[in-house]
Amino acid sequence: MSDASNFQKSSITVAFMADQLREAVGVPLDKHNAVDDSARPVTESNLHRPGLALAGYVELFTHQRVQVLGNTEHRYLRHLGPDARAEAFGHLMQFDLPCIICTDGNALPAPQLQQATEHGIPVYGTAWPTVRLMEALRTLLNDQFAPQRVVHGSLVDVYGIGLLLMGKPGIGKSEVALDLVERGHRLVADDVVVATRQEAGVLMGSGTDLVQHFMEVRGLGLVDVRAMFGIRAIRFQKRIEVVVDMQLWDEDKEYTRLHMVEDTHDILDVALPTVQVPITPGKNITVICEVIAMNYLLRHYGYDAAEVFTERLRARIRGESPSVPRRGIEYFEGDYE
């Protein structure tokens, strides 16, 4: 297994952020002044509403963040006289702000817009309410600044579970992924998987813009999964939930048989449950991957086959009748459907 080093964006440009808000999120965003926004950086995902800074308290002003002016800030500026308004807005102009976004259909008074233009600060406006705009922008920036790692493997959605197939080059990851797709499951990425850590330890996987849903099958060449199997055979991203570690069979190595001790594999400090699958001639790895996914679902719903078997064994040793059902699916048959 060969993992590339982690990477994380240190900044994006204001122009890129504005384009993504319009195109990817659908925010109606207008630019209010003629300032070059292609060279101004946004360096963090947190946002700021500069109410205290307008009032003159700038000691803890987080000026490096995108500044959002909503109804409160605009009404405060409008209730001031022209000179006091220029002075209040001047408190912001002391700093090198990335940009200013006016929400709720508000717009800066002409003198203040001119102040921003003279200081090279882009000003935008949107009809979206402040809370809605901040939620959308924060989500966009969190995604842009999230830690990422490129992982060598194949990511497949099997019964709704993201299985990351890993192993040495040539061991057959792409072939197993292709077989899973042929059986009705969905390919997310092959060979190069971009893992992104989001909040709450969630690890999302996707492919690259270049490779997308092409697969390289040794001896066959490139296969376009989307063109061959249709749109239902692919996904553009999926949460990575289980690592399937494909290994060549080693007779001197002890492999897990009861799975009482769970192995994990760390990616971006997220511990993922891992199943080591030894590769031997005749072994149906595709079916094993399906069972891994279904077993993960069972455990998610509170049924652990190893624990149930152990309890049955203990009951037999004590001379008692096992109290657990033979099929754990009976616990939550309705939920699973």
Side-chain angles (χ1 to χ4, degrees), residues 32-45:
H32 288 178
N33 59 352
V35 171
D36 182 13
D37 53 5
S38 62
R40 300 195 69 82
V42 178
T43 58
E44 61 175 271
S45 59

Side-chain angles (χ1 to χ4, degrees), residues 118-181:
E118 291 173 355
H119 287 83
I121 299 172
V123 178
Y124 298 91
T126 180
W128 276 25
T130 303
V131 173
R132 185 182 177 191
L133 181 279
M134 292 183 72
E135 287 177 351
L137 181 52
R138 190 177 291 112
T139 300
L140 171 67
L141 294 178
N142 280 336
D143 183 64
Q144 290 295 321
F145 292 118
Q148 293 183 321
R149 165 180 285 185
V150 174
V151 181
H152 177 64
S154 299
L155 180 58
V156 188
D157 178 353
V158 180
Y159 298 128
I161 304 301
L163 296 188
L164 178 61
L165 311 179
M166 302 184 69
K168 293 181 178 179
I171 202 168
K173 298 182 294 296
S174 296
E175 289 80 358
V176 172
L178 185 60
D179 199 12
L180 285 166
V181 169

Side-chain angles (χ1 to χ4, degrees), residues 18-333:
D19 289 341
Q20 288 297 300
L21 277 174
R22 296 187 190 99
E23 298 169 10
V25 185
V27 178
L29 194 68
D30 299 320
K31 193 173 179 184
H32 288 178
N33 59 352
V35 171
D36 182 13
D37 53 5
S38 62
R40 300 195 69 82
V42 178
T43 58
E44 61 175 271
S45 59
N46 292 319
L47 309 175
H48 187 67
R49 296 189 64 179
L52 283 175
L54 288 171
Y57 183 74
V58 295
E59 197 168 321
L60 298 177
F61 181 33
T62 50
H63 60 87
Q64 73 279 7
R65 300 176 181 174
V66 173
Q67 305 297 312
V68 179
L69 274 64
N71 286 328
T72 302
E73 291 79 11
H74 282 90
R75 288 177 184 175
Y76 173 74
L77 287 173
R78 283 198 295 266
H79 101 282
L80 299 174
D83 293 339
R85 187 184 306 135
E87 181 182 358
F89 197 73
H91 296 316
L92 305 186
M93 297 298 99
Q94 307 176 58
F95 302 93
D96 190 24
L97 311 180
C99 68
I100 294 173
I101 300 179
C102 303
T103 61
D104 286 288
N106 289 295
L108 289 175
Q112 280 59 64
L113 184 61
Q114 181 61 31
Q115 284 180 269
T117 303
E118 291 173 355
H119 287 83
I121 299 172
V123 178
Y124 298 91
T126 180
W128 276 25
T130 303
V131 173
R132 185 182 177 191
L133 181 279
M134 292 183 72
E135 287 177 351
L137 181 52
R138 190 177 291 112
T139 300
L140 171 67
L141 294 178
N142 280 336
D143 183 64
Q144 290 295 321
F145 292 118
Q148 293 183 321
R149 165 180 285 185
V150 174
V151 181
H152 177 64
S154 299
L155 180 58
V156 188
D157 178 353
V158 180
Y159 298 128
I161 304 301
L163 296 188
L164 178 61
L165 311 179
M166 302 184 69
K168 293 181 178 179
I171 202 168
K173 298 182 294 296
S174 296
E175 289 80 358
V176 172
L178 185 60
D179 199 12
L180 285 166
V181 169
E182 198 276 334
R183 291 170 66 93
H185 304 292
R186 305 170 74 181
L187 176 71
V188 183
D190 181 61
D191 194 39
V192 178
V193 179
V194 180
T196 303
R197 191 186 72 210
Q198 299 184 346
E199 295 180 353
V202 173
L203 201 65
M204 298 298 295
S206 62
T208 63
D209 292 337
L210 176 63
V211 177
Q212 292 188 337
H213 297 98
F214 284 87
M215 299 182 69
E216 180 190 357
V217 181
R218 295 174 188 266
L220 180 60
L222 288 176
V223 174
D224 187 342
V225 172
R226 180 173 179 173
M228 184 174 293
F229 295 96
I231 191 67
R232 290 186 297 176
I234 65 169
R235 288 194 64 160
F236 287 95
Q237 67 173 359
K238 181 72 179 78
R239 179 176 178 178
I240 303 174
E241 293 165 279
V242 182
V243 173
V244 179
D245 184 8
M246 299 170 59
Q247 302 180 356
L248 292 174
W249 171 263
D250 184 353
E251 61 181 11
D252 296 326
K253 183 175 181 178
E254 183 69 24
Y255 294 98
T256 299
R257 303 187 69 176
L258 295 181
H259 203 61
M260 292 299 294
V261 179
E262 186 170 287
D263 296 326
T264 60
H265 180 85
D266 286 356
I267 299 177
L268 293 170
D269 297 325
V270 177
L272 299 168
T274 301
V275 180
Q276 296 182 359
V277 179
I279 307 298
T280 56
K283 178 174 285 191
N284 194 329
I285 305 301
T286 304
V287 172
I288 290 175
C289 287
E290 291 181 327
V291 172
I292 289 172
M294 288 188 288
N295 193 51
Y296 182 84
L297 279 172
L298 285 170
R299 298 183 70 181
H300 175 75
Y301 281 104
Y303 177 82
D304 190 313
E307 291 182 359
V308 170
F309 177 80
T310 302
E311 181 57 34
R312 291 174 63 88
L313 184 60
R314 288 172 180 165
R316 181 61 60 87
I317 292 173
R318 294 193 300 263
E320 303 171 357
S321 298
S323 58
V324 294
R326 291 181 181 275
R327 294 191 301 121
I329 196 68
E330 294 171 6
Y331 279 130
F332 46 86
E333 204 166 39

